[in-house]
Amino acid sequence: QPRVMSMASPVIADGYVYVNFLPRTVNMGGQNEVTYLAAISLDKGLPRWTTKDDPELQNVWFGSAPVVYGGRVYAAATSSGNGAPSVELIVLNADTGKIDRKVFLCEGRRAMPGWGGWMVSEAPIVAESGGVLFINTNLGALAAIQAATFEVLWMIEYEVGAPKQGPNRRWP
């Protein structure tokens, strides 16, 4: 089974560390453990909340670090179900971990291959500047969203190329 490598850094804000937890292994094309977000206290290492058992978040992939801003936790998530992958912005209350809002961003039109036994993370990435969230969906779109109102300010498409194979690499 492919191993999963997380490149997401923990985020520290207001006395808590916010992290995403990934499963130890991934069953390509099958049922997997959920990924989930958690808030852990910095002083004692005690969990404040986790999204692990939230039924609305059982089929999403949190593969990148969240952003904590204005009493909310913003996380971009990928889901695929039985079709093409899609990306949503998941907004959680920073105190409780409960969902405040889900904002659909886009849907992809391509498969996501593995590489050398490792899952190639297609995790969407979110950043904040001046109250605006910038989300690279990694499915061919970049979006700017007003954090306070969830208004999509703009979204642009970019060309998503096919995976390239180096001279010493082979795709399974």
Side-chain angles (χ1 to χ4, degrees):
Q1 289 205 0
R3 294 173 300 278
V4 177
M5 177 173 61
S6 174
M7 293 185 236
S9 299
V11 174
I12 297 173
D14 304 321
Y16 291 89
V17 58
Y18 296 85
V19 295
N20 67 331
F21 290 102
L22 302 178
R24 292 177 190 223
T25 60
V26 171
N27 179 10
M28 300 290 270
Q31 192 66 27
N32 290 295
E33 295 178 48
V34 298
T35 63
Y36 60 96
L37 301 174
I40 310 293
S41 68
L42 288 174
D43 59 349
K44 299 191 188 228
L46 298 174
R48 182 180 202 181
W49 54 257
T50 175
T51 64
K52 186 173 186 177
D53 297 321
D54 188 322
E56 288 187 68
L57 300 175
Q58 295 302 297
N59 295 310
V60 301
W61 180 266
F62 294 109
S64 62
V67 166
V68 181
Y69 176 79
R72 292 181 172 136
V73 177
Y74 298 90
T78 303
S79 62
S80 61
N82 294 325
S86 63
V87 174
E88 291 182 291
L89 175 65
I90 309 291
V91 184
L92 306 173
N93 179 298
D95 291 332
T96 65
K98 300 294 181 204
I99 296 173
D100 277 351
R101 180 80 58 107
K102 291 167 84 175
V103 180
F104 174 81
L105 294 174
C106 70
E107 184 175 87
R109 296 178 287 274
R110 65 188 177 104
M112 295 185 275
W115 172 67
W118 290 86
M119 176 71 173
V120 177
S121 175
E122 297 279 343
I125 301 165
V126 61
E128 180 274 331
S129 178
V132 176
L133 302 167
F134 297 91
I135 300 153
N136 180 354
T137 66
N138 283 330
L139 293 177
L142 175 67
I145 298 175
Q146 184 65 49
T149 64
F150 312 108
E151 177 188 359
V152 177
L153 301 174
W154 53 260
M155 183 179 294
I156 62 168
E157 284 188 72
Y158 58 86
E159 186 174 332
V160 178
K164 300 232 184 315
Q165 182 171 310
N168 61 346
R169 303 285 190 250
R170 187 180 80 230
W171 291 98

